[in-house]
Amino acid sequence: DSGVTQTPKHLITATGQRVTLRCSPRSGDLSVYWYQQSLDQGLQFLIQYYNGEERAKGNILERFSAQQFPDLHSELNLSSLELGDSALYFCASSVKAGVYGETQYFGPGTRLLVL
Amino acid sequence: GDSVTQMEGPVTLSEEAFLTINCTYTATGYPSLFWYVQYPGEGLQLLLKATKADDKGSNKGFEATYRKETTSFHLEKGSVQVSDSAVYFCALSGGASKIIFGSGTRLSIRP
């Protein structure tokens, strides 16, 4: 158990809908990262927040957004969902803000299926 | 840009066989290197890491040595078990916020 929690574990929705994925980092960790794991794209970094502020962006679509709240939990919002958004979404956390070589600890993921 | 290349799977071995999963990387500077494991239906778990050249990471009988001269971080285990069946990801962290992952290698161990 990494100490990172994600809810829900599974999510089934329809195209065009909007969903929110939630992540609670390990106690004491200030950074939260979101990753998408799909069959065709592999594991891709989406976005990072550090202590409430956006710190880095990766291959995140404009239909997707995230935020980190004062209690440090984070939410990833996915809107206007398409079939291709079906994937496993991971949250990870670390103590600092992407310090060189810092270890990230991953949650169990949320499996999203868009029908 | 930075990248990680690992051997394609699936890899199927018999129990107690020797395991090697190859991983090479391309990076500017001196990245930290990781192996993560994903068991069926679960999330990613950090298996081991190495932060500088010639460091050896080890955990649960798995080992990997950071080889700067060959830009490699091959995963090895002397005697695999059925419970080692999983997908293994080689990854690097080069100072930017994100971790860059390889494509993953699926390992299946026959009893």
Side-chain angles (χ1 to χ4, degrees), chain A residues 33 35 37 43 45 48 55-56 88 90 97-98 100-108, chain B residues 29-32 34 36 38 42-44 46 49 89 93-99 101:
Chain A
Y33 310 77
Y35 291 83
Q37 184 180 32
L43 262 164
F45 168 73
Q48 180 209 1
R55 181 59 65 100
L88 192 52
F90 286 110
Y100 201 93
E102 188 181 24
T103 300
Q104 296 178 19
Y105 295 89
F106 283 75
Chain B
Y30 304 95
S32 288
F34 307 85
Y36 281 86
Q38 186 175 25
E42 297 186 15
L44 291 168
L46 177 65
K49 66 182 280 191
F89 292 91
S93 172
S97 297
K98 62 183 178 182
I99 288 182
F101 288 90

mmCIF file of all heavy atoms in Angstrom, chain A residues 33 35 37 43 45 48 55-56 88 90 97-98 100-108, chain B residues 29-32 34 36 38 42-44 46 49 89 93-99 101:
data_model
loop_
_atom_site.group_PDB
_atom_site.id
_atom_site.type_symbol
_atom_site.label_atom_id
_atom_site.label_comp_id
_atom_site.label_asym_id
_atom_site.label_seq_id
_atom_site.Cartn_x
_atom_site.Cartn_y
_atom_site.Cartn_z
ATOM 1 N N TYR A 33 0.658 14.173 -8.999
ATOM 2 C CA TYR A 33 0.844 14.004 -10.436
ATOM 3 C C TYR A 33 -0.300 13.148 -10.961
ATOM 4 O O TYR A 33 -0.732 12.211 -10.295
ATOM 5 C CB TYR A 33 2.154 13.272 -10.741
ATOM 6 C CG TYR A 33 3.377 13.818 -10.044
ATOM 7 C CD1 TYR A 33 3.617 13.547 -8.694
ATOM 8 C CD2 TYR A 33 4.305 14.586 -10.733
ATOM 9 C CE1 TYR A 33 4.744 14.040 -8.062
ATOM 10 C CE2 TYR A 33 5.443 15.076 -10.103
ATOM 11 C CZ TYR A 33 5.654 14.795 -8.761
ATOM 12 O OH TYR A 33 6.773 15.287 -8.135
ATOM 13 N N TYR A 35 -1.385 10.672 -14.285
ATOM 14 C CA TYR A 35 -0.915 9.935 -15.449
ATOM 15 C C TYR A 35 -2.095 9.200 -16.077
ATOM 16 O O TYR A 35 -3.035 8.809 -15.394
ATOM 17 C CB TYR A 35 0.136 8.890 -15.063
ATOM 18 C CG TYR A 35 1.460 9.452 -14.609
ATOM 19 C CD1 TYR A 35 1.636 9.875 -13.302
ATOM 20 C CD2 TYR A 35 2.531 9.533 -15.479
ATOM 21 C CE1 TYR A 35 2.855 10.382 -12.868
ATOM 22 C CE2 TYR A 35 3.764 10.036 -15.059
ATOM 23 C CZ TYR A 35 3.905 10.458 -13.757
ATOM 24 O OH TYR A 35 5.126 10.956 -13.338
ATOM 25 N N GLN A 37 -2.894 5.796 -18.452
ATOM 26 C CA GLN A 37 -2.352 4.566 -19.026
ATOM 27 C C GLN A 37 -3.370 3.994 -20.002
ATOM 28 O O GLN A 37 -4.452 3.555 -19.611
ATOM 29 C CB GLN A 37 -2.021 3.533 -17.949
ATOM 30 C CG GLN A 37 -1.365 2.277 -18.514
ATOM 31 C CD GLN A 37 -1.042 1.255 -17.448
ATOM 32 O OE1 GLN A 37 -1.737 1.130 -16.436
ATOM 33 N NE2 GLN A 37 0.025 0.505 -17.645
ATOM 34 N N LEU A 43 1.975 4.718 -20.681
ATOM 35 C CA LEU A 43 1.840 5.565 -19.498
ATOM 36 C C LEU A 43 2.312 6.966 -19.839
ATOM 37 O O LEU A 43 3.477 7.180 -20.145
ATOM 38 C CB LEU A 43 2.694 5.026 -18.368
ATOM 39 C CG LEU A 43 2.021 4.184 -17.322
ATOM 40 C CD1 LEU A 43 3.038 3.432 -16.508
ATOM 41 C CD2 LEU A 43 1.174 5.044 -16.404
ATOM 42 N N PHE A 45 2.381 11.180 -18.706
ATOM 43 C CA PHE A 45 2.217 12.217 -17.701
ATOM 44 C C PHE A 45 1.219 13.254 -18.187
ATOM 45 O O PHE A 45 1.290 13.701 -19.334
ATOM 46 C CB PHE A 45 3.579 12.866 -17.446
ATOM 47 C CG PHE A 45 3.534 14.132 -16.650
ATOM 48 C CD1 PHE A 45 3.264 14.104 -15.287
ATOM 49 C CD2 PHE A 45 3.779 15.351 -17.254
ATOM 50 C CE1 PHE A 45 3.251 15.283 -14.550
ATOM 51 C CE2 PHE A 45 3.766 16.527 -16.529
ATOM 52 C CZ PHE A 45 3.497 16.494 -15.176
ATOM 53 N N GLN A 48 0.980 18.115 -13.110
ATOM 54 C CA GLN A 48 1.461 18.091 -11.730
ATOM 55 C C GLN A 48 1.007 19.345 -10.988
ATOM 56 O O GLN A 48 1.035 20.445 -11.547
ATOM 57 C CB GLN A 48 2.987 18.040 -11.675
ATOM 58 C CG GLN A 48 3.534 18.015 -10.243
ATOM 59 C CD GLN A 48 4.915 18.641 -10.111
ATOM 60 O OE1 GLN A 48 5.494 19.118 -11.086
ATOM 61 N NE2 GLN A 48 5.450 18.641 -8.902
ATOM 62 N N ARG A 55 2.263 22.987 -11.503
ATOM 63 C CA ARG A 55 3.718 23.067 -11.624
ATOM 64 C C ARG A 55 4.213 22.630 -12.995
ATOM 65 O O ARG A 55 5.183 23.181 -13.504
ATOM 66 C CB ARG A 55 4.372 22.213 -10.532
ATOM 67 C CG ARG A 55 5.876 22.228 -10.520
ATOM 68 C CD ARG A 55 6.419 23.646 -10.342
ATOM 69 N NE ARG A 55 6.099 24.223 -9.063
ATOM 70 C CZ ARG A 55 6.946 24.276 -8.041
ATOM 71 N NH1 ARG A 55 8.142 23.759 -8.161
ATOM 72 N NH2 ARG A 55 6.586 24.852 -6.910
ATOM 73 N N ALA A 56 3.593 21.646 -13.575
ATOM 74 C CA ALA A 56 4.051 21.162 -14.879
ATOM 75 C C ALA A 56 2.889 20.540 -15.631
ATOM 76 O O ALA A 56 1.962 19.995 -15.032
ATOM 77 C CB ALA A 56 5.176 20.142 -14.719
ATOM 78 N N LEU A 88 -6.784 3.817 -17.834
ATOM 79 C CA LEU A 88 -6.538 3.773 -16.398
ATOM 80 C C LEU A 88 -5.846 5.083 -16.031
ATOM 81 O O LEU A 88 -4.832 5.444 -16.642
ATOM 82 C CB LEU A 88 -5.645 2.572 -16.086
ATOM 83 C CG LEU A 88 -5.441 2.103 -14.666
ATOM 84 C CD1 LEU A 88 -6.755 1.887 -13.956
ATOM 85 C CD2 LEU A 88 -4.627 0.816 -14.672
ATOM 86 N N PHE A 90 -3.901 7.211 -13.239
ATOM 87 C CA PHE A 90 -3.160 7.094 -11.994
ATOM 88 C C PHE A 90 -2.859 8.457 -11.412
ATOM 89 O O PHE A 90 -2.569 9.411 -12.133
ATOM 90 C CB PHE A 90 -1.817 6.390 -12.225
ATOM 91 C CG PHE A 90 -1.912 4.917 -12.448
ATOM 92 C CD1 PHE A 90 -1.657 4.373 -13.692
ATOM 93 C CD2 PHE A 90 -2.253 4.063 -11.408
ATOM 94 C CE1 PHE A 90 -1.740 3.017 -13.904
ATOM 95 C CE2 PHE A 90 -2.336 2.699 -11.607
ATOM 96 C CZ PHE A 90 -2.079 2.177 -12.857
ATOM 97 N N ALA A 97 8.607 19.127 -5.094
ATOM 98 C CA ALA A 97 8.070 19.517 -6.388
ATOM 99 C C ALA A 97 8.930 19.011 -7.526
ATOM 100 O O ALA A 97 9.513 19.797 -8.259
ATOM 101 C CB ALA A 97 7.952 21.026 -6.469
ATOM 102 N N GLY A 98 9.012 17.714 -7.680
ATOM 103 C CA GLY A 98 9.772 17.186 -8.809
ATOM 104 C C GLY A 98 11.263 17.411 -8.662
ATOM 105 O O GLY A 98 11.959 17.651 -9.632
ATOM 106 N N TYR A 100 15.043 16.592 -8.419
ATOM 107 C CA TYR A 100 15.796 15.663 -9.254
ATOM 108 C C TYR A 100 15.788 14.256 -8.676
ATOM 109 O O TYR A 100 16.249 14.020 -7.571
ATOM 110 C CB TYR A 100 17.229 16.167 -9.370
ATOM 111 C CG TYR A 100 17.955 15.613 -10.556
ATOM 112 C CD1 TYR A 100 17.968 16.301 -11.752
ATOM 113 C CD2 TYR A 100 18.617 14.393 -10.473
ATOM 114 C CE1 TYR A 100 18.622 15.794 -12.859
ATOM 115 C CE2 TYR A 100 19.275 13.885 -11.560
ATOM 116 C CZ TYR A 100 19.287 14.588 -12.757
ATOM 117 O OH TYR A 100 19.934 14.089 -13.839
ATOM 118 N N GLY A 101 15.214 13.348 -9.451
ATOM 119 C CA GLY A 101 15.248 11.947 -9.062
ATOM 120 C C GLY A 101 14.329 11.565 -7.924
ATOM 121 O O GLY A 101 14.421 10.451 -7.410
ATOM 122 N N GLU A 102 13.443 12.446 -7.542
ATOM 123 C CA GLU A 102 12.556 12.126 -6.420
ATOM 124 C C GLU A 102 11.602 11.002 -6.794
ATOM 125 O O GLU A 102 11.068 10.959 -7.892
ATOM 126 C CB GLU A 102 11.772 13.378 -6.034
ATOM 127 C CG GLU A 102 10.962 13.225 -4.773
ATOM 128 C CD GLU A 102 10.181 14.481 -4.450
ATOM 129 O OE1 GLU A 102 9.897 15.264 -5.362
ATOM 130 O OE2 GLU A 102 9.830 14.658 -3.281
ATOM 131 N N THR A 103 11.344 10.127 -5.825
ATOM 132 C CA THR A 103 10.445 9.005 -6.058
ATOM 133 C C THR A 103 9.000 9.457 -6.003
ATOM 134 O O THR A 103 8.616 10.234 -5.119
ATOM 135 C CB THR A 103 10.681 7.919 -5.004
ATOM 136 O OG1 THR A 103 12.040 7.481 -5.099
ATOM 137 C CG2 THR A 103 9.750 6.736 -5.230
ATOM 138 N N GLN A 104 8.217 8.982 -6.929
ATOM 139 C CA GLN A 104 6.776 9.211 -6.905
ATOM 140 C C GLN A 104 6.091 7.914 -6.494
ATOM 141 O O GLN A 104 6.457 6.830 -6.954
ATOM 142 C CB GLN A 104 6.281 9.659 -8.286
ATOM 143 C CG GLN A 104 6.845 10.998 -8.719
ATOM 144 C CD GLN A 104 6.384 11.403 -10.091
ATOM 145 O OE1 GLN A 104 5.385 10.907 -10.614
ATOM 146 N NE2 GLN A 104 7.099 12.341 -10.713
ATOM 147 N N TYR A 105 5.089 8.030 -5.650
ATOM 148 C CA TYR A 105 4.341 6.874 -5.163
ATOM 149 C C TYR A 105 2.953 6.901 -5.792
ATOM 150 O O TYR A 105 2.259 7.921 -5.734
ATOM 151 C CB TYR A 105 4.266 6.898 -3.637
ATOM 152 C CG TYR A 105 5.627 6.739 -3.007
ATOM 153 C CD1 TYR A 105 6.419 7.852 -2.740
ATOM 154 C CD2 TYR A 105 6.140 5.481 -2.731
ATOM 155 C CE1 TYR A 105 7.687 7.708 -2.208
ATOM 156 C CE2 TYR A 105 7.401 5.325 -2.191
ATOM 157 C CZ TYR A 105 8.183 6.444 -1.934
ATOM 158 O OH TYR A 105 9.435 6.293 -1.412
ATOM 159 N N PHE A 106 2.569 5.769 -6.358
ATOM 160 C CA PHE A 106 1.364 5.712 -7.171
ATOM 161 C C PHE A 106 0.178 5.122 -6.412
ATOM 162 O O PHE A 106 0.327 4.207 -5.601
ATOM 163 C CB PHE A 106 1.611 4.868 -8.420
ATOM 164 C CG PHE A 106 2.393 5.588 -9.470
ATOM 165 C CD1 PHE A 106 3.754 5.791 -9.327
ATOM 166 C CD2 PHE A 106 1.761 6.089 -10.596
ATOM 167 C CE1 PHE A 106 4.479 6.478 -10.292
ATOM 168 C CE2 PHE A 106 2.470 6.773 -11.572
ATOM 169 C CZ PHE A 106 3.837 6.963 -11.414
ATOM 170 N N GLY A 107 -0.988 5.659 -6.725
ATOM 171 C CA GLY A 107 -2.232 5.096 -6.229
ATOM 172 C C GLY A 107 -2.664 3.907 -7.072
ATOM 173 O O GLY A 107 -2.018 3.578 -8.071
ATOM 174 N N PRO A 108 -3.772 3.264 -6.697
ATOM 175 C CA PRO A 108 -4.229 2.061 -7.400
ATOM 176 C C PRO A 108 -4.892 2.337 -8.745
ATOM 177 O O PRO A 108 -5.115 1.416 -9.518
ATOM 178 C CB PRO A 108 -5.230 1.448 -6.425
ATOM 179 C CG PRO A 108 -5.730 2.608 -5.648
ATOM 180 C CD PRO A 108 -4.587 3.556 -5.520
ATOM 181 N N GLY B 29 22.009 14.879 -18.918
ATOM 182 C CA GLY B 29 22.304 14.933 -17.497
ATOM 183 C C GLY B 29 22.382 13.552 -16.880
ATOM 184 O O GLY B 29 22.691 12.564 -17.548
ATOM 185 N N TYR B 30 22.022 13.487 -15.612
ATOM 186 C CA TYR B 30 22.184 12.259 -14.843
ATOM 187 C C TYR B 30 20.865 11.898 -14.166
ATOM 188 O O TYR B 30 20.624 12.273 -13.026
ATOM 189 C CB TYR B 30 23.297 12.450 -13.811
ATOM 190 C CG TYR B 30 24.602 12.867 -14.449
ATOM 191 C CD1 TYR B 30 24.954 14.207 -14.545
ATOM 192 C CD2 TYR B 30 25.455 11.920 -15.008
ATOM 193 C CE1 TYR B 30 26.127 14.594 -15.155
ATOM 194 C CE2 TYR B 30 26.631 12.297 -15.618
ATOM 195 C CZ TYR B 30 26.957 13.641 -15.689
ATOM 196 O OH TYR B 30 28.114 14.025 -16.306
ATOM 197 N N PRO B 31 20.034 11.168 -14.892
ATOM 198 C CA PRO B 31 18.707 10.879 -14.344
ATOM 199 C C PRO B 31 18.754 9.853 -13.224
ATOM 200 O O PRO B 31 19.740 9.132 -13.075
ATOM 201 C CB PRO B 31 17.964 10.295 -15.549
ATOM 202 C CG PRO B 31 19.042 9.647 -16.357
ATOM 203 C CD PRO B 31 20.244 10.546 -16.203
ATOM 204 N N SER B 32 17.715 9.784 -12.444
ATOM 205 C CA SER B 32 17.481 8.650 -11.566
ATOM 206 C C SER B 32 16.690 7.611 -12.348
ATOM 207 O O SER B 32 15.896 7.954 -13.223
ATOM 208 C CB SER B 32 16.683 9.071 -10.334
ATOM 209 O OG SER B 32 17.476 9.838 -9.473
ATOM 210 N N PHE B 34 14.358 3.907 -12.332
ATOM 211 C CA PHE B 34 13.420 3.153 -11.510
ATOM 212 C C PHE B 34 12.930 1.917 -12.255
ATOM 213 O O PHE B 34 12.883 1.883 -13.481
ATOM 214 C CB PHE B 34 12.173 4.002 -11.192
ATOM 215 C CG PHE B 34 12.448 5.349 -10.602
ATOM 216 C CD1 PHE B 34 12.714 6.445 -11.410
ATOM 217 C CD2 PHE B 34 12.427 5.533 -9.226
ATOM 218 C CE1 PHE B 34 12.954 7.697 -10.858
ATOM 219 C CE2 PHE B 34 12.668 6.784 -8.674
ATOM 220 C CZ PHE B 34 12.931 7.859 -9.492
ATOM 221 N N TYR B 36 9.285 -0.058 -11.854
ATOM 222 C CA TYR B 36 7.979 -0.168 -11.225
ATOM 223 C C TYR B 36 7.347 -1.487 -11.672
ATOM 224 O O TYR B 36 7.603 -1.974 -12.781
ATOM 225 C CB TYR B 36 7.061 0.979 -11.650
ATOM 226 C CG TYR B 36 7.311 2.291 -10.940
ATOM 227 C CD1 TYR B 36 8.269 3.187 -11.405
ATOM 228 C CD2 TYR B 36 6.577 2.633 -9.806
ATOM 229 C CE1 TYR B 36 8.491 4.397 -10.751
ATOM 230 C CE2 TYR B 36 6.793 3.842 -9.150
ATOM 231 C CZ TYR B 36 7.745 4.715 -9.627
ATOM 232 O OH TYR B 36 7.962 5.908 -8.977
ATOM 233 N N GLN B 38 3.559 -3.657 -11.935
ATOM 234 C CA GLN B 38 2.094 -3.571 -11.892
ATOM 235 C C GLN B 38 1.542 -4.985 -11.888
ATOM 236 O O GLN B 38 1.569 -5.678 -12.908
ATOM 237 C CB GLN B 38 1.577 -2.785 -13.101
ATOM 238 C CG GLN B 38 0.086 -2.505 -13.070
ATOM 239 C CD GLN B 38 -0.357 -1.628 -14.232
ATOM 240 O OE1 GLN B 38 0.273 -1.587 -15.288
ATOM 241 N NE2 GLN B 38 -1.460 -0.913 -14.056
ATOM 242 N N GLU B 42 -3.940 -4.121 -10.340
ATOM 243 C CA GLU B 42 -3.455 -3.187 -9.320
ATOM 244 C C GLU B 42 -2.739 -1.993 -9.939
ATOM 245 O O GLU B 42 -2.545 -1.915 -11.146
ATOM 246 C CB GLU B 42 -2.525 -3.914 -8.350
ATOM 247 C CG GLU B 42 -3.219 -5.027 -7.581
ATOM 248 C CD GLU B 42 -2.320 -5.649 -6.531
ATOM 249 O OE1 GLU B 42 -1.268 -5.064 -6.189
ATOM 250 O OE2 GLU B 42 -2.685 -6.735 -6.043
ATOM 251 N N GLY B 43 -2.343 -1.074 -9.086
ATOM 252 C CA GLY B 43 -1.612 0.096 -9.529
ATOM 253 C C GLY B 43 -0.125 -0.175 -9.625
ATOM 254 O O GLY B 43 0.332 -1.305 -9.488
ATOM 255 N N LEU B 44 0.637 0.883 -9.853
ATOM 256 C CA LEU B 44 2.083 0.771 -9.970
ATOM 257 C C LEU B 44 2.734 0.773 -8.591
ATOM 258 O O LEU B 44 2.401 1.601 -7.754
ATOM 259 C CB LEU B 44 2.630 1.952 -10.761
ATOM 260 C CG LEU B 44 2.286 1.997 -12.240
ATOM 261 C CD1 LEU B 44 2.639 3.352 -12.811
ATOM 262 C CD2 LEU B 44 3.018 0.905 -12.984
ATOM 263 N N LEU B 46 6.584 0.899 -6.730
ATOM 264 C CA LEU B 46 8.015 1.066 -6.914
ATOM 265 C C LEU B 46 8.711 -0.224 -6.492
ATOM 266 O O LEU B 46 8.544 -0.701 -5.372
ATOM 267 C CB LEU B 46 8.523 2.232 -6.063
ATOM 268 C CG LEU B 46 10.016 2.474 -6.108
ATOM 269 C CD1 LEU B 46 10.450 2.897 -7.516
ATOM 270 C CD2 LEU B 46 10.426 3.525 -5.083
ATOM 271 N N LYS B 49 15.131 1.433 -7.164
ATOM 272 C CA LYS B 49 15.610 2.647 -7.806
ATOM 273 C C LYS B 49 17.120 2.775 -7.651
ATOM 274 O O LYS B 49 17.716 2.148 -6.766
ATOM 275 C CB LYS B 49 14.932 3.885 -7.239
ATOM 276 C CG LYS B 49 15.277 4.170 -5.789
ATOM 277 C CD LYS B 49 14.530 5.393 -5.236
ATOM 278 C CE LYS B 49 15.152 6.702 -5.621
ATOM 279 N NZ LYS B 49 14.576 7.857 -4.883
ATOM 280 N N PHE B 89 7.833 -2.015 -15.515
ATOM 281 C CA PHE B 89 8.107 -0.769 -16.227
ATOM 282 C C PHE B 89 9.447 -0.197 -15.781
ATOM 283 O O PHE B 89 9.660 0.022 -14.582
ATOM 284 C CB PHE B 89 7.018 0.279 -15.944
ATOM 285 C CG PHE B 89 5.676 -0.038 -16.513
ATOM 286 C CD1 PHE B 89 4.745 -0.738 -15.761
ATOM 287 C CD2 PHE B 89 5.337 0.376 -17.782
ATOM 288 C CE1 PHE B 89 3.485 -1.037 -16.277
ATOM 289 C CE2 PHE B 89 4.073 0.090 -18.313
ATOM 290 C CZ PHE B 89 3.159 -0.623 -17.554
ATOM 291 N N SER B 93 13.706 9.606 -14.180
ATOM 292 C CA SER B 93 13.319 10.940 -13.723
ATOM 293 C C SER B 93 14.542 11.813 -13.858
ATOM 294 O O SER B 93 15.538 11.599 -13.169
ATOM 295 C CB SER B 93 12.855 10.889 -12.266
ATOM 296 O OG SER B 93 12.662 12.187 -11.760
ATOM 297 N N GLY B 94 14.455 12.802 -14.761
ATOM 298 C CA GLY B 94 15.650 13.549 -15.095
ATOM 299 C C GLY B 94 15.694 14.950 -14.546
ATOM 300 O O GLY B 94 16.467 15.775 -15.003
ATOM 301 N N GLY B 95 14.853 15.235 -13.564
ATOM 302 C CA GLY B 95 14.881 16.578 -13.009
ATOM 303 C C GLY B 95 13.618 17.332 -13.287
ATOM 304 O O GLY B 95 13.232 18.202 -12.516
ATOM 305 N N ALA B 96 12.958 17.010 -14.364
ATOM 306 C CA ALA B 96 11.638 17.595 -14.603
ATOM 307 C C ALA B 96 10.651 16.895 -13.690
ATOM 308 O O ALA B 96 10.973 15.926 -13.026
ATOM 309 C CB ALA B 96 11.245 17.414 -16.058
ATOM 310 N N SER B 97 9.450 17.388 -13.682
ATOM 311 C CA SER B 97 8.492 16.831 -12.741
ATOM 312 C C SER B 97 8.056 15.418 -13.095
ATOM 313 O O SER B 97 7.747 14.626 -12.230
ATOM 314 C CB SER B 97 7.264 17.726 -12.687
ATOM 315 O OG SER B 97 7.611 19.004 -12.213
ATOM 316 N N LYS B 98 7.998 15.128 -14.372
ATOM 317 C CA LYS B 98 7.378 13.867 -14.754
ATOM 318 C C LYS B 98 8.369 12.728 -14.733
ATOM 319 O O LYS B 98 9.587 12.908 -14.803
ATOM 320 C CB LYS B 98 6.799 13.986 -16.153
ATOM 321 C CG LYS B 98 7.834 14.275 -17.227
ATOM 322 C CD LYS B 98 7.185 14.455 -18.571
ATOM 323 C CE LYS B 98 8.203 14.786 -19.631
ATOM 324 N NZ LYS B 98 7.573 15.015 -20.951
ATOM 325 N N ILE B 99 7.821 11.526 -14.619
ATOM 326 C CA ILE B 99 8.590 10.310 -14.817
ATOM 327 C C ILE B 99 8.297 9.837 -16.234
ATOM 328 O O ILE B 99 7.156 9.860 -16.690
ATOM 329 C CB ILE B 99 8.188 9.233 -13.797
ATOM 330 C CG1 ILE B 99 8.710 9.618 -12.407
ATOM 331 C CG2 ILE B 99 8.749 7.874 -14.194
ATOM 332 C CD1 ILE B 99 8.397 8.596 -11.339
ATOM 333 N N PHE B 101 8.241 6.689 -18.684
ATOM 334 C CA PHE B 101 8.162 5.246 -18.578
ATOM 335 C C PHE B 101 8.472 4.569 -19.903
ATOM 336 O O PHE B 101 8.188 5.095 -20.981
ATOM 337 C CB PHE B 101 6.748 4.829 -18.168
ATOM 338 C CG PHE B 101 6.390 5.146 -16.751
ATOM 339 C CD1 PHE B 101 5.801 6.359 -16.428
ATOM 340 C CD2 PHE B 101 6.641 4.229 -15.742
ATOM 341 C CE1 PHE B 101 5.470 6.655 -15.107
ATOM 342 C CE2 PHE B 101 6.303 4.517 -14.429
ATOM 343 C CZ PHE B 101 5.731 5.733 -14.122
#
